[in-house]
Amino acid sequence: MTPPNLTAAEQIAIRDLLGAVNNDMDAPLAPEWERAAWAVPRSAFVPERVYLGDEWEPCDRTEDPEAWLRAVCADDSVVTQINDGMDPVDGDRWPSSSASAPSIVFRMLHMLGVAPEHRVLEIGTGTGWNAGLLACVAGPENVTTVEVDPVLASEARERLRRAGLPVEVVTGDGAEGHAGTTPYDRLVATCSVRSVPRPWLAQVRPGGVILTPWDSPWVCYGLLGMTVDDTGSASGRFAPHSAFMLMRRQRTDLRIFRDVVRDDHRPEESTTTLPPWRVAGDDLAAQFAMGLQLRDVWRTWHDDPDVAGVASRLWLATTDATSWAAVDWDGTSDDRFTVWQYGPRRLWNEAEAAYTWWTLHDRPGPERFGLTVTATGETPWLDNPDQPIPTTG
């Protein structure tokens, strides 16, 4: 591995970044990961063009090197690709790949428990930086990384080569893993999943660890760490960290007025005393619990919907677009809300039941929940696998 030639500005930026990471971690960064951070600096892996701000405006290293370095060496995620690498249509930009915040990168590496000679499979190569860090500890010959986007895979492969790290970079669907070099001691995903792909279980040895960011249609939040057993099943707990882009195979692209609500729908009207922001507000613990129970329900807020007497509306809908609900707030009342529901399911009733269950169980955070995955299904649980939680969908 060739030591990088770092400028004075880059050295200062790395020191500051490691300080920020240590402040965010529960314990000081392990020496092997600090050495890795110096050996494969993030700046050597982030592309020359990144996208910054709420509108994801391009920032080129050649045109604004200070802004680029400031973004790359901050303890924050950086969008590295928009629109799956395609030109935006009508200026509509959306992030499709990013370099994760360094603090969550190192937190996940710590949780993964990688040791020298461990065989590691990474799902989602992205820039290649995470694979480079893994290679510094496990050994480059023991790391395989899978990237679905051919352009991103090629660029990451070249960055790893320049760093002197001959990691195997596979272009393919991460949901299928990579059977060529099994079994693995560790599998880590850098994209979130709504369901754990079953090939992952078959490719990790008994006693091995799978670590993946978690997503539900309700909220993208949480890390799931599981241990594989000798039956090919896996079980483990969630941790209250992270929000990663969803695995491309598991994406859904639904919009209320384009895909769900139709002019001929005649919804049922009722009222509720449960404020909609209780289930879909700022409380991530509540949102996580809602998403784990309502497995196929997504939601979105519509402020100032141009409806008389409605200041804000919470929409709920199933991912198959067959049922929907809307909860209206008039802008003044905090104890009475109008509910509209359509389709074979009464989604607001389901949401109320899920929220009630959560409150009756002392409002548990993600760390009290877990998931058991077998070849035939997934069972979320509270506190231990013998206490499955109620789910719909």
Side-chain angles (χ1 to χ4, degrees), residues 277-291:
W277 48 83
R278 294 276 180 85
V279 302
D282 295 331
D283 189 338
L284 286 173
Q287 288 203 58
F288 181 85
M290 297 294 295

Side-chain angles (χ1 to χ4, degrees), residues 201-202 204-208 227-235 373:
L201 274 63
V204 175
R205 66 167 177 81
T227 301
V228 177
D229 65 23
D230 56 8
T231 70
S233 300
S235 189
V373 183

Side-chain angles (χ1 to χ4, degrees), residues 77 95 98 100 104 108 189-195 212-224 238-247 250-252 279-292 294-295 297-300 366:
S77 61
S98 68
S100 301
I104 192 62
M108 289 178 66
T190 62
C191 55
S192 62
V193 298
R194 292 179 175 173
S195 179
T212 180
W214 186 254
D215 182 286
S216 70
W218 195 274
V219 64
C220 179
Y221 185 60
L223 289 173
L224 174 62
F238 292 96
H241 305 288
S242 89
F244 281 69
M245 294 181 188
L246 186 62
M247 175 176 282
Q250 296 186 10
R251 284 177 182 170
T252 53
V279 302
D282 295 331
D283 189 338
L284 286 173
Q287 288 203 58
F288 181 85
M290 297 294 295
L292 207 55
L294 308 178
R295 296 296 296 272
V297 180
W298 60 285
R299 53 86 180 176
T300 187

Side-chain angles (χ1 to χ4, degrees), residues 34-186:
E34 185 162 346
R35 289 193 294 268
W38 283 101
V40 286
R42 194 186 192 210
S43 57
F45 284 82
V46 174
E48 300 287 299
R49 170 175 285 192
V50 296
Y51 301 86
L52 306 178
D54 294 338
E55 300 298 324
W56 300 292
E57 294 293 338
C59 173
D60 288 293
R61 185 176 192 176
T62 54
E63 297 177 4
D64 196 344
E66 291 185 3
W68 183 91
L69 185 62
R70 198 161 50 243
V72 169
C73 291
D75 187 17
D76 202 356
S77 61
V78 180
V79 173
T80 55
Q81 185 196 66
I82 59 171
N83 300 66
D84 287 340
M86 304 295 184
D87 291 332
V89 178
D90 298 326
D92 182 22
R93 293 188 176 98
W94 46 273
S96 52
S97 188
S98 68
S100 301
S103 56
I104 192 62
V105 168
F106 286 109
R107 185 181 293 277
M108 289 178 66
L109 292 173
H110 173 74
M111 293 173 65
L112 195 61
V114 176
E117 305 305 319
H118 269 164
R119 297 181 65 81
V120 184
L121 176 62
E122 178 193 41
I123 306 299
T125 311
T127 67
W129 186 50
N130 200 67
L133 294 170
L134 286 165
C136 287
V137 173
E141 70 281 3
N142 295 315
V143 177
T144 301
T145 180
V146 181
E147 172 57 52
V148 69
D149 188 304
V151 173
L152 296 181
S154 177
E155 292 173 348
R157 188 179 294 113
E158 175 60 21
R159 294 185 192 109
L160 289 161
R161 185 197 65 78
R162 289 199 303 262
L165 298 168
V167 168
E168 182 179 11
V169 180
V170 177
T171 303
D173 183 354
E176 298 299 326
H178 182 63
T181 48
T182 57
Y184 300 100
D185 300 287
R186 300 290 186 269

Side-chain angles (χ1 to χ4, degrees), residues 341-359:
Q341 299 191 88
Y342 176 84
R345 291 166 60 181
R346 293 298 174 260
L347 296 187
W348 181 249
N349 295 9
E350 292 183 15
E352 287 185 316
Y355 183 80
T356 298
W357 179 91
W358 180 69
T359 58

Side-chain angles (χ1 to χ4, degrees), residues 2 125 189 222 266:
T2 304
T125 311
R266 296 293 179 265

